[in-house]
Amino acid sequence: GRESVYPQRMEEGVESWDDNPGIVTEGETEYIFIREFLKKEFKAGHDNVSSGEYTNVHAREDQDRYKTTQVFIAPVGNWSRRLNEEVSEGANLSSCWVRGPFTSPFSVGNSFSHLVLTATGIGITPSLAIAAQFPGHTRTKILIWSCKDANMLKFFAPLFEDFHMIMVYYTGREMISYEESMRIKGSKGNVFLQMKRGDMTNAISTVVTSYENSMQDTPFSKMEMIPTDTLSSWCVMYCGGSKRLCGDLSSFCQNASVEFHSELFDW
């Protein structure tokens, strides 16, 4: 097994590190991370809530930030690039008109106890909003994000703290140094960073099964064994531009009897 914590060359031309010498193979890394983290984090949190001793370490103290509105726009087209230039120069102080709000598929989050928020690229923004809407353990919030833009990853990483667990699949060609990866992962131990594409459906299955196992005396060996009424408290959401991934997630959730909602960039 590989036990080095130093960068290893991957086929995709990016780097990956394993800061857990107990991991045997790269294919097992994310699943061991999910199982061990959920068993430790959520079982302890559940026991403390039941005993009335729980202290919310995830919710930020600066709750006034929720009284503001943030708009994230990636400069990828002519209009958005021009907007980025105007804002960056700081010379344009014109008023801004907002039409809406329009109902988002992510607005169903208040109807479920456990939210698995999946995204690609700039599609992470609705996930950030819903995580901020439900601070602390009012909802279970798991983020699974695939990103190929190193600057975008570094920009949004400081906003991860509203999630209980984060899995990031970085697929870009720009190298991310070991020091940068440590800053992205933070100090809580709840961020998994993989320098290659991941399988979101398998990750979701492991997340749901591992969470329910942490709450049960008799563990489930696979997701299909979990009762339907238990699965009804889970919801998977996707936002991004990949119709193929959206279709895969939709089919997976339908077969697994888990609610699924999506928002594509196809207005």
Side-chain angles (χ1 to χ4, degrees), residues 250-261:
S250 177
S251 298
F252 167 80
C253 291
Q254 183 176 4
N255 294 333
S257 300
V258 172
E259 191 81 8
F260 177 73
H261 293 268

Side-chain angles (χ1 to χ4, degrees), residues 5-22:
V5 298
Y6 295 99
Q8 301 293 317
R9 181 67 60 185
M10 306 292 291
E11 293 180 0
E12 293 83 357
V14 293
E15 295 173 317
S16 179
W17 301 274
D18 183 356
D19 56 2
N20 186 341

Side-chain angles (χ1 to χ4, degrees), residues 41-42 44-46 48-49 52-63 65-66 131-141 161-164 188 190:
E41 171 76 3
F42 284 100
H46 180 269
N48 289 335
V49 168
E53 298 176 356
Y54 178 70
T55 300
N56 183 359
V57 297
H58 292 283
R60 300 186 190 179
E61 295 180 357
D62 57 331
Q63 295 297 313
R65 71 191 178 95
Y66 298 123
Q133 181 182 353
F134 302 111
H137 279 268
T138 56
R139 297 291 189 283
T140 304
K141 297 158 294 184
E161 62 184 78
D162 283 319
F163 299 97
H164 298 117
K188 291 183 179 179
N190 63 335

